[in-house]
Amino acid sequence: MDLHLTKDTPSAAERLAVDSVLGESGLGRSDGVTSAALVGHEAAAGHAARANRHLLLPVLHAIQERMGWISHGALNYACQRLTIPPTEAYGVATFYALFSVQPKPPIVAHVCDDIACMANGAEQLCSEMTQRLGKAGTKSGAGSVTWHRSPCLGMCERAPAAMITAAGKRPSTTVVAPANGAAIERILEDEKHEEPPLVESQTMGSVPQAGSAELRLLRRMSRIDPDSIASYRAAGGYQALTRALELGPEQIVREVAASKLMGRGGAAFPAGIKWRSVASAAARPHYMVCNADESEPGTFKDRVVLEEDPFAVVEAMTIAGIATGCEKGFIYLRGEYPLALARMTNALAQARAAGLLGGSILGNTMSFDIEIRRGAGAYICGEETALFNSIEGFRGEPRNKPPFPTEVGLFGKPTLVNNVETLINVLDIVLEGSEAYAAIGTEQSTGTKLFCLSGHVARPGVYEVPFGTSLLALIELAGGVAGSGNMQAVLLGGAAGTFLTPQELDTPLTFESTRAIGATLGSGVVMVFDDTVNMQRVLLRVAAFFRDESCGQCVPCRVGTVRQEELLNRLFAEKTIGSTEDELHLLNDIGQAMRDASICGLGQTASSAIESAARVGLFNGRKH
Amino acid sequence: MGSESELSELQPTWQFLNPIPQGPLPTIPEPAAAPEVELIIDGRETSVPTGSTLLQATKSLGIETPTLCYLENLTPVNACRVCVVELEGSRTLVPACSRKVEAGMQVQTDSPRVRLSRRMVLEFLASSVDVSTAPELQQYMGQYAAEPERYGPSGPPALGNERDAAVPGHHVAPDGATAGTVEQPVKIDNELYIRDYSKCILCYKCVEACGEDAQNTFAIAVAGRGFDARIATEYTVPLPDSACVYCGNCIGVCPTGALMFRSEYEMREAGTWDESAQSETDTICSYCGVGCNLQLHIQDNEIVKVMSPIESGVTQGHLCIKGRFGWQFMQQPKKK
């Protein structure tokens, strides 16, 4: 392949931004070889440079953060350094919502208008923003500021939320929740004057149960200093790793399998089967990936764990790596989680310094290290194979399965992918043994589960309860229905989940009993809507979300999500084509085609919440 | 490695580990036939070689399976999903074009679920894309009783480069009165071929042919996301500014006429394109020693386009700029 570049050249600042990730370079050679004879004749350094394609996403982040957008010259330079055809890099840069390939003001307020925030005044906030800064997308502050609407920012317990990104020499990402126009504008002003914005502590109150003796996964919440490994160890941290090294890989895998731990990311796949497959896979190396790309609307449990107990995630990943023969792990972290990024970055550094990460862990022969990779605003990258493509520097499009990641995963190698919450369960399984662990919960759903309560509940936040607790008991634990006090519906499992009626609240929260009523626990979302909420608007937002987040690769999802949104709009506006029954029939057909024929879980579940809403009679708007 | 003197000391002790064999030359054994896999398709037992796809297996039974993004000379991307079949034990339907056979599979190729998904895929495409020059797709639409009009009349076309500038994660909320489409102005920026992305079903074939599967030029790729995803050069520059080498292999694989010889496009615009009046002449390209098979499409004694048969062992359907476009010397310059 000959690399063909347009004539656009990078500015000094853009060049520095790229070099900050790839190192300095004389001639774009990653090996540093410089020769005057090569000027103009060689763009890059063959295999060595091409092997670094996985650095494309970090490079794009660096350019975006420095410049506020990715210019042709900057992208050309990145392509030259990495030997990537510019058309492919352009395809990647235009895939992510947090990147812009058109000039854009450096300071951007992303105001969440997704469903949890919607139930907490997001529309009022957006109209306040319009009053202060003009219509979404317009420039203000002498062209340095703009704002636009954003999908769920994962701050649902303190809705409504906003995120301010400021590009420049001192780039920053600030989340403000609960947000109001004045608070957002204050931060924008600080950023304009290049002052670090003052924001109060982010996680206070996110775990209303904090301190309770019944907590297991959340037992350290508010009890340790999340920035201190000493504090984590004093609270019993790293005992599980010590125990794991005594057990050895095979025994760890046996314990995880015997515990019947099921994946907590939404698909509920038995973790033991994955671990065993990767551990026994012949191809080398093996990779471990922690999926922290939590983007399901209404989900924030992983964020709270990453922010408040980051060492637990590092320890659990280390155990997983040792058990399955991985020497390298990645945390794929949502781009919208700045505090989690800071805490995890610090945790990795401290763990390395303490000899708990890197070569010869705890003096043992095992070695394992972890790298953080940030997403850039694409829900689809939470799908495991899309996540691999994203890390590898390709568009975040899911791959066809089989082959499954345990055989052909990241970089084509056997890969263990687990969600954050799934992983931290392993600590107790290793420490207590699978039998004690499996004694909690129900026969088929063992252990405890984190739930994200938001919307109209008195005390929103992350809650931990044993499997089998009823939905009603969980909502009561969160102080019951807030708002008007009259519940209209509950969304269980997220935008890819199902709506339940107040009559279904006695459902025990287990994988098996939710499946029996055609629902799913999904990512643990429990979003309560009181009877003042216009459910039609909620459903339109869900439909718009899937239309926005479809990667566009397969026809059923790419066009189906568009047709679904169009249909709901005309149905709710009572401008149907043919009769209402015709439209409902068509909605069913669209849903079934997406469910049956889409490549990945996004398309397969894009109609789930909407179809369930139709079933329980939420299409008629306000119900009193 | 030892020094020279050490080596010379060692030399006398060298021996042939494998003495030169005597007697007749060994014969090369016939390649063993791949072991067969048994499966049941539409109730019929069949066996096909290991590693076959379900598409190959259905074909061996004479079962027609519609395909759009599949082509023998490209890696399956299984993006169009029109070839899905029902596999017992699988929660979702599976793409026949890329799913490998496994022993004991039970497959339905014409169940109500299969027919519905195929019909919906065709409706989704025909309601959002101009399929007027996609005869295969139209034929499938008849076969599966697709009714693209049930999504309402087509929405307004995108103006200028609106679709190229679409931002991921944002769109204007529709009112549902019309069905959104990908209609947009045709891209004419060179003498050899045009790109009419109003006709693009995003099958990825052109991207594969331009990239790893044939040409290794990487002039085009998919950009954007979701319904706004599109085939684009870097920064959507015109083709002459891109890496394009005008091999035309993207035209060769395009199933919908979105990529078209400029000669064909202009004749269609002028209303003079008439396939019934065309003949095809097979010949060999005279430019170099490779000897690529050419198939000249001729109308009124003039070449109007050049393809290469996909079955050709030399080209597998792919050509270079000379074979594809270098035939102007054969005929008078076209009267403008």
XYZ file of all heavy atoms in Angstrom, chain B residues 138-200:
477
model
N -34.352 -5.827 -7.263
C -35.754 -5.717 -7.674
C -36.392 -7.095 -7.822
O -37.538 -7.299 -7.436
C -35.853 -4.970 -9.004
C -35.561 -3.493 -8.873
C -35.593 -2.791 -10.216
O -36.178 -3.284 -11.169
N -34.952 -1.638 -10.294
N -35.611 -8.019 -8.338
C -36.139 -9.376 -8.510
C -36.453 -9.988 -7.129
O -37.520 -10.574 -6.937
C -35.107 -10.220 -9.253
C -35.535 -11.651 -9.505
C -34.362 -12.599 -9.352
O -33.283 -12.347 -9.873
N -34.573 -13.672 -8.607
N -35.555 -9.806 -6.174
C -35.808 -10.311 -4.816
C -37.065 -9.670 -4.229
O -37.829 -10.304 -3.513
C -34.637 -10.013 -3.878
C -33.310 -10.630 -4.259
C -32.115 -9.975 -3.940
C -33.230 -11.871 -4.888
C -30.883 -10.527 -4.258
C -32.002 -12.426 -5.211
C -30.818 -11.742 -4.893
O -29.608 -12.285 -5.199
N -37.241 -8.384 -4.523
C -38.394 -7.682 -3.962
C -39.695 -8.333 -4.410
O -40.625 -8.484 -3.620
C -38.374 -6.203 -4.373
C -37.381 -5.385 -3.584
S -37.263 -3.701 -4.180
C -38.907 -3.096 -3.852
N -39.731 -8.738 -5.683
C -40.920 -9.424 -6.167
C -41.092 -10.761 -5.465
O -42.178 -11.121 -5.015
N -39.973 -11.457 -5.325
C -39.981 -12.779 -4.714
C -40.481 -12.742 -3.260
O -41.124 -13.669 -2.806
C -38.529 -13.261 -4.742
C -38.320 -14.720 -4.912
C -36.817 -14.971 -5.049
O -36.084 -14.228 -5.719
N -36.349 -16.012 -4.389
N -40.135 -11.684 -2.551
C -40.498 -11.612 -1.130
C -41.632 -10.623 -0.866
O -41.874 -10.247 0.270
C -39.250 -11.292 -0.287
C -38.323 -12.475 -0.233
C -37.279 -12.608 -1.138
C -38.537 -13.506 0.673
C -36.453 -13.723 -1.148
C -37.719 -14.634 0.694
C -36.677 -14.732 -0.215
O -35.876 -15.847 -0.211
N -42.320 -10.214 -1.908
C -43.490 -9.333 -1.790
C -43.187 -8.086 -0.962
O -43.958 -7.701 -0.076
C -44.669 -10.100 -1.193
N -42.055 -7.479 -1.228
C -41.671 -6.279 -0.481
C -42.543 -5.092 -0.895
O -42.804 -4.898 -2.078
C -40.201 -5.959 -0.740
N -42.987 -4.323 0.095
C -43.818 -3.140 -0.175
C -43.171 -1.913 0.456
O -43.582 -1.468 1.529
C -45.206 -3.302 0.448
C -46.047 -4.422 -0.087
C -47.309 -4.586 0.765
O -48.077 -3.620 0.885
O -47.474 -5.668 1.345
N -42.167 -1.354 -0.201
C -41.464 -0.218 0.413
C -42.365 0.998 0.621
O -42.054 1.852 1.444
C -40.340 0.080 -0.585
C -40.712 -0.609 -1.832
C -41.574 -1.758 -1.484
N -43.494 1.036 -0.081
C -44.346 2.224 0.066
C -45.047 2.281 1.413
O -45.583 3.326 1.783
C -45.343 2.326 -1.100
C -46.221 1.127 -1.369
C -45.474 -0.034 -2.055
O -44.319 0.118 -2.523
O -46.065 -1.124 -2.094
N -45.039 1.189 2.193
C -45.767 1.258 3.465
C -45.071 2.118 4.525
O -45.556 2.247 5.642
C -46.109 -0.124 4.002
C -44.964 -1.051 4.295
C -45.533 -2.368 4.869
N -44.490 -3.325 5.152
C -44.577 -4.231 6.117
N -45.636 -4.298 6.876
N -43.592 -5.083 6.306
N -43.913 2.675 4.180
C -43.243 3.600 5.115
C -43.524 5.048 4.760
O -42.939 5.964 5.339
C -41.734 3.335 5.113
C -41.417 1.897 5.419
C -41.331 0.948 4.406
C -41.274 1.468 6.743
C -41.107 -0.383 4.683
C -41.050 0.133 7.032
C -40.964 -0.787 6.002
O -40.751 -2.108 6.287
N -44.405 5.232 3.777
C -44.754 6.595 3.383
C -43.951 7.045 2.182
O -43.024 6.356 1.741
N -44.318 8.217 1.634
C -43.576 8.730 0.476
C -42.134 9.078 0.864
O -41.850 9.331 2.031
C -44.348 9.983 0.083
C -45.138 10.361 1.290
C -45.397 9.110 2.057
N -41.257 9.091 -0.128
C -39.843 9.387 0.143
C -39.660 10.808 0.652
O -40.314 11.730 0.157
C -39.018 9.208 -1.127
O -39.009 7.852 -1.481
N -38.780 10.960 1.604
C -38.481 12.278 2.147
C -37.668 13.099 1.164
O -37.242 12.606 0.113
N -37.443 14.368 1.492
C -36.704 15.246 0.576
C -35.234 14.820 0.469
O -34.681 14.256 1.408
C -36.814 16.617 1.238
C -37.073 16.333 2.682
C -37.835 15.042 2.729
N -34.612 15.081 -0.699
C -33.197 14.730 -0.857
C -32.305 15.643 -0.027
O -32.686 16.769 0.294
C -32.943 14.950 -2.347
C -33.971 15.922 -2.772
C -35.168 15.715 -1.901
N -31.111 15.135 0.314
C -30.122 15.985 0.985
C -29.566 16.958 -0.048
O -29.397 16.609 -1.209
C -29.012 15.126 1.551
N -29.315 18.180 0.389
C -28.781 19.183 -0.535
C -27.261 19.215 -0.430
O -26.698 18.982 0.648
C -29.346 20.557 -0.195
C -30.884 20.648 -0.210
C -31.342 21.990 0.324
C -31.415 20.408 -1.613
N -26.623 19.535 -1.550
C -25.168 19.708 -1.545
C -24.473 18.542 -0.876
O -24.745 17.386 -1.164
N -23.578 18.868 0.060
C -22.837 17.800 0.738
C -23.362 17.555 2.149
O -22.632 17.116 3.025
C -21.342 18.125 0.766
C -21.060 19.355 1.613
O -22.003 20.070 1.995
N -19.802 19.590 1.921
N -24.645 17.837 2.365
C -25.248 17.649 3.698
C -24.949 16.285 4.300
O -24.586 16.175 5.463
C -26.768 17.816 3.606
C -27.264 19.205 3.908
C -28.769 19.338 3.652
O -29.459 18.304 3.429
O -29.245 20.462 3.676
N -25.128 15.239 3.499
C -24.928 13.895 4.050
C -23.460 13.650 4.399
O -23.153 12.926 5.342
C -25.425 12.824 3.073
C -26.904 12.507 3.269
C -27.312 11.241 2.539
N -26.679 10.043 3.049
C -27.115 9.355 4.108
N -28.183 9.739 4.757
N -26.478 8.268 4.513
N -22.562 14.261 3.641
C -21.133 14.087 3.935
C -20.742 14.789 5.232
O -19.742 14.446 5.855
C -20.282 14.632 2.787
C -20.401 13.770 1.544
O -20.537 12.539 1.701
O -20.381 14.323 0.435
N -21.539 15.795 5.624
C -21.188 16.580 6.801
C -21.947 16.127 8.049
O -21.806 16.727 9.111
C -21.460 18.059 6.535
N -22.747 15.058 7.926
C -23.547 14.613 9.074
C -22.644 14.268 10.263
O -21.555 13.729 10.096
C -24.382 13.403 8.678
N -23.105 14.632 11.447
C -22.330 14.458 12.671
C -22.861 13.238 13.427
O -24.070 13.108 13.599
C -22.451 15.730 13.538
C -21.803 15.532 14.885
C -21.849 16.917 12.810
N -21.978 12.327 13.874
C -22.475 11.138 14.572
C -23.160 11.510 15.884
O -22.716 12.415 16.585
C -21.202 10.322 14.834
C -20.085 11.310 14.765
C -20.521 12.360 13.781
N -24.242 10.804 16.201
C -24.917 11.015 17.477
C -25.955 12.108 17.456
O -26.563 12.395 18.484
N -26.140 12.765 16.313
C -27.142 13.822 16.242
C -27.935 13.697 14.948
O -27.374 13.406 13.907
C -26.487 15.206 16.286
C -25.809 15.481 17.580
N -26.474 15.967 18.682
C -24.531 15.289 17.974
C -25.621 16.090 19.692
N -24.437 15.678 19.291
N -29.218 13.931 15.020
C -30.020 13.985 13.804
C -31.243 14.842 14.093
O -31.625 15.050 15.237
C -30.420 12.589 13.339
C -31.443 11.920 14.223
N -31.119 11.303 15.410
C -32.780 11.792 14.098
C -32.205 10.811 15.961
N -33.238 11.096 15.202
N -31.842 15.325 13.019
C -33.058 16.111 13.159
C -34.221 15.137 13.326
O -34.363 14.204 12.542
C -33.280 17.007 11.921
C -34.564 17.799 12.050
C -32.080 17.935 11.732
N -35.027 15.357 14.361
C -36.129 14.428 14.618
C -37.084 14.423 13.424
O -37.435 15.481 12.901
C -36.863 14.835 15.882
N -37.481 13.253 12.968
C -38.386 13.184 11.816
C -39.832 13.415 12.257
O -40.147 13.285 13.437
C -38.206 11.740 11.345
C -37.927 10.981 12.613
C -37.166 11.927 13.514
N -40.709 13.773 11.326
C -42.124 13.832 11.706
C -42.866 12.571 11.291
O -44.006 12.358 11.676
C -42.806 15.086 11.133
C -42.851 15.085 9.608
O -42.472 14.070 9.000
O -43.265 16.101 9.033
N -42.182 11.735 10.518
C -42.779 10.451 10.156
C -43.690 10.530 8.947
O -44.155 9.500 8.458
N -43.965 11.734 8.454
C -44.857 11.853 7.296
C -44.202 11.278 6.046
O -44.868 10.772 5.155
C -45.231 13.316 7.061
N -42.877 11.365 5.993
C -42.152 10.799 4.856
C -41.064 9.859 5.371
O -40.673 9.941 6.534
C -41.482 11.900 4.011
O -40.625 12.662 4.871
C -42.506 12.820 3.378
N -40.602 8.989 4.495
C -39.553 8.038 4.853
C -38.188 8.628 4.499
O -37.975 9.049 3.358
C -39.767 6.719 4.121
N -37.293 8.655 5.471
C -35.954 9.192 5.225
C -35.233 8.375 4.166
O -35.369 7.155 4.098
N -34.477 9.047 3.318
C -33.717 8.350 2.278
C -32.276 8.856 2.269
O -31.944 9.802 2.980
C -34.292 8.610 0.866
O -33.957 9.946 0.484
C -35.790 8.426 0.836
N -31.468 8.239 1.437
C -30.073 8.682 1.303
C -29.896 9.510 0.033
O -28.776 9.746 -0.419
C -29.084 7.498 1.293
C -29.192 6.704 2.575
C -29.320 6.587 0.089
N -31.006 9.972 -0.533
C -30.931 10.704 -1.801
C -30.070 11.959 -1.663
O -30.185 12.702 -0.687
C -32.343 11.079 -2.270
C -32.366 11.549 -3.714
C -33.765 11.925 -4.173
O -34.741 11.648 -3.454
O -33.861 12.519 -5.268
N -29.209 12.179 -2.646
C -28.252 13.285 -2.603
C -27.731 13.518 -4.018
O -27.909 12.664 -4.887
C -27.090 12.922 -1.675
C -26.374 11.638 -2.101
C -25.461 11.091 -1.032
O -24.541 11.764 -0.624
N -25.737 9.883 -0.563
N -27.088 14.644 -4.253
C -26.581 14.896 -5.608
C -25.523 13.862 -6.010
O -24.751 13.394 -5.176
C -25.941 16.292 -5.502
C -26.524 16.904 -4.280
C -26.824 15.777 -3.354
N -25.507 13.532 -7.299
C -24.528 12.572 -7.805
C -23.142 13.235 -7.825
O -23.026 14.436 -8.040
C -24.969 12.057 -9.195
C -25.096 13.189 -10.185
C -24.017 10.994 -9.718
N -22.106 12.451 -7.539
C -20.751 12.995 -7.507
C -20.074 12.720 -8.858
O -19.797 11.568 -9.191
C -19.943 12.349 -6.382
C -20.333 12.824 -4.981
C -19.503 12.107 -3.936
C -19.504 12.774 -2.573
N -20.782 13.132 -1.989
N -19.828 13.786 -9.629
C -19.133 13.648 -10.919
C -17.873 14.507 -10.827
O -17.944 15.730 -10.856
C -20.012 14.123 -12.090
C -21.364 13.392 -12.047
C -19.299 13.885 -13.419
C -22.351 13.837 -13.096
N -16.730 13.869 -10.626
C -15.518 14.672 -10.431
C -14.339 14.167 -11.253
O -13.196 14.538 -11.021
C -15.155 14.716 -8.932
C -15.048 13.343 -8.313
O -14.944 12.354 -9.062
O -15.066 13.241 -7.058
N -14.638 13.274 -12.202
C -13.549 12.796 -13.066
C -14.151 12.272 -14.352
O -15.367 12.123 -14.474
C -12.727 11.715 -12.346
C -13.536 10.450 -12.144
O -13.593 9.594 -13.010
N -14.201 10.321 -10.999
N -13.314 11.966 -15.337
C -13.788 11.578 -16.667
C -14.214 10.114 -16.754
O -14.821 9.700 -17.732
C -12.660 11.818 -17.700
C -12.345 13.277 -17.948
C -13.549 14.039 -18.481
O -14.199 13.539 -19.418
O -13.852 15.112 -17.916
N -13.830 9.303 -15.763
C -13.975 7.871 -15.965
C -15.209 7.248 -15.315
O -15.858 6.405 -15.898
C -12.703 7.164 -15.473
C -11.428 7.609 -16.206
C -10.225 6.854 -15.673
C -11.556 7.397 -17.700
N -15.511 7.646 -14.076
C -16.719 7.063 -13.469
C -17.360 8.036 -12.490
O -16.741 8.983 -12.023
C -16.438 5.710 -12.824
C -15.621 5.692 -11.558
C -16.242 5.530 -10.322
C -14.237 5.781 -11.588
C -15.497 5.460 -9.150
C -13.484 5.708 -10.432
C -14.116 5.548 -9.213
O -13.390 5.489 -8.070
N -18.645 7.755 -12.224
C -19.410 8.648 -11.351
C -19.814 7.866 -10.091
O -19.811 6.637 -10.070
C -20.670 9.197 -12.057
C -21.612 8.053 -12.464
C -20.260 9.994 -13.298
C -22.743 7.815 -11.531
N -20.131 8.616 -9.046
C -20.568 7.998 -7.794
C -21.937 8.580 -7.430
O -22.039 9.750 -7.089
C -19.560 8.262 -6.689
C -18.194 7.629 -6.960
C -17.193 7.994 -5.884
N -16.822 9.406 -5.938
C -16.414 10.108 -4.876
N -16.351 9.551 -3.694
N -16.089 11.376 -5.012
N -22.950 7.747 -7.548
C -24.301 8.195 -7.257
C -24.751 7.521 -5.959
O -25.389 6.468 -5.971
C -25.226 7.822 -8.431
C -26.619 8.389 -8.242
O -26.874 9.008 -7.186
O -27.460 8.202 -9.137
N -24.413 8.141 -4.836
C -24.654 7.491 -3.553
C -26.123 7.466 -3.145
O -26.459 6.907 -2.110
C -23.763 8.112 -2.471
C -22.302 7.733 -2.660
C -21.298 8.684 -2.655
C -21.940 6.397 -2.860
C -19.962 8.332 -2.847
C -20.620 6.036 -3.054
C -19.632 7.001 -3.043
O -18.316 6.637 -3.228
N -26.997 8.066 -3.967
C -28.432 7.857 -3.738
C -28.788 6.396 -3.969
O -29.827 5.920 -3.546
C -29.251 8.707 -4.713
O -28.961 10.063 -4.546
N -27.912 5.691 -4.682
C -28.165 4.286 -5.012
C -27.341 3.336 -4.152
O -27.302 2.139 -4.417
C -27.831 4.039 -6.497
C -28.735 4.784 -7.460
C -28.295 4.524 -8.891
C -29.282 5.158 -9.867
N -28.801 5.012 -11.264
N -26.672 3.874 -3.131
C -25.745 3.042 -2.357
C -26.469 2.323 -1.227
O -27.120 2.946 -0.397
C -24.621 3.905 -1.800
S -23.510 2.981 -0.732
